[in-house]
Each structure stands twice: as C-alpha cells, then as structure tokens.
Amino acid sequence: MLVAMSETLTTNEYTDDLRYEVFNREFMPHIDSMYNFAFRLTMDEDDANDLVQDTYLKAFRFISSFEQGTNAKAWLFRILKNSFINDYRKKSKEPSKVDYQEVETTYNSEEASDTTYTVDLRADAVQELIGDEVANALNALPVDFRTVIILCDIEGFTYEEMAKILDIPIGTVRSRLHRARNLLKEKLKSYAASMGYDS
C-alpha cells in the first residue's frame, strides 16, 4: 500500500537547465498580468512588485510541482493570491509601527520653516487621476469582489479556472462575480449619467 501511494505522489523531476527553460517559457510571459493583478490587490507599486517577486521565487522553488502543458497563468495567480492573503494576515496581526525619527524630522522641519502655505501633494496626485473613475470604483470594492472582476473581466479566466485560483466552489465564483458587478455598477451610476448614458 505504501508503494502505491508514493508512486502517485511523485513530482516532476527537472534538471537545472529544464527548470530555467520551463520557467522562462511558461511563467515569464505572464509577468505583466501578474503585476497588474498584484497592483489591483495591494494598490501600491512597491507592494505589488514585492508580491510578484515573491510569487516568482515560490514558482521557481516549487517548479517540480508544476505540470507542463497545464495552465501556468492560473498556477501563478493562485500562488500570488495565496501570498497576498498570507501577507495580509501577517500584517493585520502586527502592531502599527511608527518611525519616531521621521516624525521628529518632519516636526522640526515644519517648525523651522517660515512658509505660510503647504503644498498638498495628494491633491496634485488626484488631479492627474481625474477621469479614471472606473479604476477608482474598482479599487474601492472589497478585495474579494475586486479579485473576481480582475480575474474574469480583465484577465479572462473561466469560472472553473477562477474556482481553482481562489480555492472556492464555482457557484461561489458566480455569485461573487454577480455581486461584484452590481456593486461596480452602483459605484459608476452617476459617472455613467454624467457621460450621457441612461440607466
């Protein structure tokens, strides 16, 4: 009985050259999609880059569990999603950190300056983003709803692939996608009306 179980649990054995070949051929073409998904999840460029890098490191480390000819993109998305969830859980358990040196430097620099006004960099950044209401509405969705819309409507995954990536039943994928699209529709209703679309 033990022999039969061990035979079914064998993984692909890759030589070093084959590991690099599979990695470059199967995984690297999806790096832009991975970054876009990571950015939509984290909404921060540095965090998205870190998440993609972590995903590709894990993919390379565990490449022996990847079966050639299967959907590499879905495999990578699942690694990325799991890494995001694990990081989110870890960060939510950590106490908030304050860099007192930075606070002191900021306080001292403001105290020493004789300026009568301050430049609001956030207002400047928002000015550059005006007109991107769809992206803003998508980013405002809770992460579970944002994820299904990105996977289905932006990345083009099937319901079955999404169920595997998210590790949820297909029925949950469908209902979550339906709810996410309705939430997005509500968020964009006034924008659509201002653009001349009737509801």
Side-chain angles (χ1 to χ4, degrees):
M1 183 68 175
L2 289 175
V3 174
M5 284 180 60
S6 66
E7 288 174 8
T8 60
L9 295 176
T10 58
T11 57
N12 297 318
E13 296 298 325
Y14 293 115
T15 63
D16 285 343
D17 289 340
L18 188 57
R19 287 170 65 115
Y20 288 107
E21 180 186 329
V22 169
F23 186 84
N24 288 326
R25 184 183 68 241
E26 298 280 346
F27 301 156
M28 290 310 292
H30 305 296
I31 197 161
D32 290 336
S33 295
M34 299 299 294
Y35 175 78
N36 291 336
F37 184 51
F39 183 76
R40 294 290 184 199
L41 289 175
T42 62
M43 294 191 289
D44 181 81
E45 285 183 41
D46 292 333
D47 289 344
N49 283 324
D50 291 345
L51 188 55
V52 170
Q53 181 179 2
D54 185 48
T55 299
Y56 273 86
L57 282 170
K58 287 177 182 175
F60 189 77
R61 185 184 316 152
F62 300 108
I63 200 166
S64 61
S65 64
F66 173 72
E67 287 186 42
Q68 290 187 60
T70 60
N71 191 339
K73 188 176 180 182
W75 194 70
L76 289 169
F77 268 74
R78 186 169 187 162
I79 294 171
L80 189 142
K81 187 256 325 174
N82 288 339
S83 294
F84 172 74
I85 290 170
N86 292 338
D87 288 347
Y88 179 79
R89 286 180 182 152
K90 187 169 45 172
K91 287 178 183 176
S92 68
K93 292 179 182 176
E94 289 179 359
S96 299
K97 297 177 183 172
V98 176
D99 184 357
Y100 291 105
Q101 183 67 37
E102 186 178 320
V103 171
E104 183 179 355
T105 303
T106 303
Y107 177 76
N108 289 338
S109 67
E110 287 179 7
E111 190 175 78
S113 67
D114 292 333
T115 58
T116 56
Y117 66 93
T118 59
V119 176
D120 188 354
L121 296 177
R122 289 174 296 170
D124 291 346
V126 170
Q127 276 303 112
E128 292 177 18
L129 297 177
I130 288 178
D132 201 7
E133 284 83 2
V134 175
N136 290 337
L138 181 62
N139 289 337
L141 293 176
V143 71
D144 287 341
F145 296 126
R146 186 169 65 230
T147 301
V148 292
I149 287 185
I150 292 168
L151 290 175
C152 183
D153 298 333
I154 297 174
E155 295 299 332
F157 284 107
T158 65
Y159 292 154
E160 292 81 13
E161 292 170 329
M162 291 169 57
K164 288 179 183 173
I165 291 168
L166 300 172
D167 198 23
I168 57 176
I170 286 181
T172 305
V173 168
R174 288 185 174 129
S175 65
R176 194 175 287 174
L177 185 59
H178 178 74
R179 290 176 55 204
R181 286 175 175 161
N182 283 338
L183 285 170
L184 191 61
K185 179 180 165 185
E186 284 301 313
K187 290 185 179 300
L188 292 171
K189 195 176 268 187
S190 63
Y191 173 65
S194 72
M195 297 302 288
Y197 294 100
D198 294 329
S199 52

